[in-house]
Amino acid sequence: MSKFGKVAVLMGGRSAEREISLKSGAMVLGALKKSGIDAHAFDPRDLGLEQLLAQHFDRVFIALHGRFGEDGTVQGALEYLGIPYTGSGVMASALAMDKWRTKLLWQAAGIPTPPYELLSQGSDFAGVGERLGLPLMVKPAREGSSIGMSKVTSIEKIATAFELAAQYDQTIIAERFIQGVELTAAVLDDEPLPLIRLETPRVFYDYQAKYFADDTRYICPCGLPPSQERAVQDQALAAFRLLGCSGWGRVDLMLDADGRPYFLEVNTIPGMTDHSLVPMAARARGISFEDL
């Protein structure tokens, strides 16, 4: 393992997902050390990135989630410093972090994604609800971990959902909620891993359900016929590649009542906690957390 040299695990950071990043980073750090790699925690909230050079790090595992870590900013800095890093590059990271521009690209390429509209303070919320239909998901375009998201079941509640999302971003999306099966497709080294089906008794698969709840169900194998699972995996990989993503990541989607997939977003640095989905999919493929 000495071929990797001295490795910095970037964790924490300044985003709204700092808490989860610290959990992901701690697990990654432990796995790397267990594998005999000279790995060290590095929190860019507290240390300038120039310290990566000063402390003679050879490469970086990015375990940051959200802004200033998953959005291309850290990737650009590492490119400038000449330090190799895990995951997608600058462009793909920035695009995938922006759910609106992700949807624009997918629409242009014919990849199915739920109908949506952008919201602003002056939007006709009633008109948006009538055009898209209820329920709706209202979400900030550039946050992860379901932060700032709301499922809206009445037109009167769209304004409240908008105000919550606007605390996290200036670009707000109202998206038709697809009733059906929630799936996630992990990608590792340009290959899709087994699909995972998600079930939660909560209103939707929110922050609590993702990281803390014990009643969230993760079903793998997902229960789809093999041919249908392969077709969804192929589409997920196409959606991933279209944004220029590489290395590893996760594509989230819904299947409607007729089995048609609708792609929601790509996570270029998914969670690596004990509740996280990529490690779960890797285990189903026979890959341990340390090997992952």
Side-chain angles (χ1 to χ4, degrees):
M1 292 298 172
S2 61
K3 66 181 180 181
F4 294 113
K6 187 178 180 182
V7 177
V9 179
L10 266 60
M11 63 176 83
R14 295 190 283 141
S15 82
E17 297 179 76
R18 174 178 172 81
E19 178 186 12
I20 302 305
S21 173
L22 289 170
K23 289 169 66 76
S24 289
M27 290 199 66
V28 168
L29 181 64
L32 294 179
K33 285 185 171 181
K34 187 175 179 181
S35 298
I37 293 171
D38 182 21
H40 304 261
F42 192 105
D43 189 340
R45 188 194 69 173
D46 304 327
L47 293 169
L49 292 181
E50 72 280 356
Q51 286 298 310
L52 292 169
L53 294 177
Q55 297 182 33
H56 305 291
F57 283 103
D58 295 295
R59 65 196 70 226
V60 164
F61 190 113
I62 305 177
L64 298 167
H65 302 317
R67 296 184 192 181
F68 313 111
E70 200 169 356
D71 61 357
T73 53
V74 162
Q75 289 78 5
L78 294 172
E79 294 276 359
Y80 186 79
L81 295 173
I83 300 175
Y85 57 89
T86 51
S88 295
V90 177
M91 180 195 70
S93 299
L95 282 173
M97 193 70 205
D98 189 323
K99 297 179 184 67
W100 174 41
R101 288 172 173 84
T102 290
K103 291 171 78 71
L104 289 173
L105 281 175
W106 283 348
Q107 286 175 319
I111 291 174
T113 187
Y116 73 97
E117 291 191 28
L118 294 182
L119 298 182
S120 67
Q121 197 69 56
S123 292
D124 174 11
F125 294 143
V128 170
E130 290 168 2
R131 288 189 293 273
L132 292 177
L134 296 173
L136 293 174
M137 294 302 299
V138 175
K139 58 181 80 172
R142 291 166 293 192
E143 281 293 348
S145 295
S146 300
I147 291 172
M149 283 178 57
S150 304
K151 183 179 179 181
V152 177
T153 56
S154 66
I155 286 175
E156 294 75 22
K157 294 181 179 178
I158 297 177
T160 302
F162 170 81
E163 294 298 336
L164 174 63
Q167 295 177 26
Y168 297 95
D169 199 355
Q170 294 177 330
T171 305
I172 313 300
I173 297 172
E175 180 182 75
R176 181 185 298 164
F177 181 78
I178 303 299
Q179 301 277 6
V181 175
E182 185 161 3
L183 296 170
T184 190
V187 176
L188 179 63
D189 200 19
D190 209 41
E191 287 290 332
L193 297 178
L195 298 179
I196 297 175
R197 178 173 177 163
L198 310 171
E199 293 182 355
T200 174
R202 301 178 68 83
V203 175
F204 67 98
Y205 186 51
D206 60 8
Y207 186 89
Q208 194 70 24
K210 286 179 176 176
Y211 300 115
F212 301 106
D214 292 326
D215 53 3
T216 304
R217 295 186 65 212
Y218 305 98
I219 302 166
C220 187
C222 67
L224 295 180
S227 60
Q228 186 181 9
E229 179 171 10
R230 184 70 233 185
V232 172
Q233 287 174 313
D234 288 345
Q235 277 192 288
L237 189 57
F240 185 80
R241 289 170 172 167
L242 183 69
L243 300 182
C245 298
S246 59
W248 71 302
R250 200 187 76 230
V251 184
D252 296 338
L253 66 138
M254 298 292 297
L255 289 186
D256 71 7
D258 296 320
R260 293 174 299 202
Y262 288 86
F263 291 89
L264 305 176
E265 63 176 302
V266 175
N267 293 273
T268 54
I269 306 177
M272 293 287 276
T273 72
D274 51 1
H275 277 60
S276 294
L277 299 165
V278 173
M280 204 176 299
R283 281 198 304 273
R285 179 62 63 81
I287 304 169
S288 71
F289 190 81
E290 289 76 19
D291 287 342
L292 172 65

